[in-house]
Amino acid sequence: MQKTTKLYALVKGKCPQCRRGDIFTGSLYGLDIQHTNSVCSHCSMRFEIEPGYFYAAMYVSYAMNVSEMITVGIATYVFSGGNLEFESLWLYLTTIFTGCLLLAPFNYRYSRVILLHWLSPKIKYNAYYDKP
Ligand SMILES: [Zn+2]
């Protein structure tokens, strides 16, 4: 039987313990709003391992937001021909704010995925649960 790869579990938002159950309900950019499941549907691992656990995802989300804002700002600078005059302030504010709004669902999902998969030493992958 083939094991699920960590990359697949990260990209698809799968449980860090079994890599089979979904962490989220709903799709990333669908009409159904995504929510975090309380327990894994496959191995019954509790995702919020202690009260307020997902507050730590705010720090991950913050780092993602800052890096995205800098990237969008640099892209705006490059694509506007290096325009840094005061009149172009609204151009930068609009592109950066729009980028933040469009990437908010992505940040919500992947800040929690990164927290669960990489920043939680208590949660370990267990091949025993990685069965269909
Ligand atoms: Zn699981």
Side-chain angles (χ1 to χ4, degrees):
M1 192 195 73
Q2 191 172 7
K3 291 181 181 174
T4 312
T5 63
K6 184 161 188 130
L7 180 65
Y8 176 84
L10 278 164
V11 171
K12 293 287 188 176
K14 299 291 182 184
C15 169
Q17 183 171 272
C18 67
R19 297 180 183 169
R20 296 274 173 173
D22 290 325
I23 298 173
F24 300 97
T25 62
S27 60
L28 182 58
Y29 281 102
L31 292 176
D32 46 346
I33 296 173
Q34 59 181 337
H35 295 282
T36 306
N37 288 322
S38 56
V39 293
C40 175
S41 60
H42 190 76
C43 70
S44 302
M45 186 193 102
R46 203 174 139 76
F47 291 127
E48 190 171 12
I49 55 177
E50 57 194 26
Y53 175 69
F54 285 121
Y55 282 116
M58 284 192 318
Y59 299 108
V60 179
S61 179
Y62 174 75
M64 291 169 74
N65 248 313
V66 169
S67 64
E68 290 157 3
M69 290 165 81
I70 290 170
T71 304
V72 170
I74 289 172
T76 305
Y77 175 78
V78 168
F79 288 116
S80 69
N83 188 359
L84 270 182
E85 295 161 7
F86 184 73
E87 292 80 30
S88 63
L89 177 68
W90 286 108
L91 172 70
Y92 284 92
L93 288 176
T94 304
T95 54
I96 289 171
F97 187 68
T98 305
C100 285
L101 280 180
L102 291 176
L103 290 170
F106 175 85
N107 289 342
Y108 170 83
R109 177 173 287 226
Y110 287 104
S111 63
R112 290 178 179 218
V113 168
I114 287 170
L115 179 70
L116 283 168
H117 279 268
W118 284 339
L119 304 174
S120 300
K122 285 182 187 175
I123 302 173
K124 300 266 189 253
Y125 168 67
N126 190 335
Y128 173 76
Y129 295 111
D130 193 1
K131 299 176 208 163

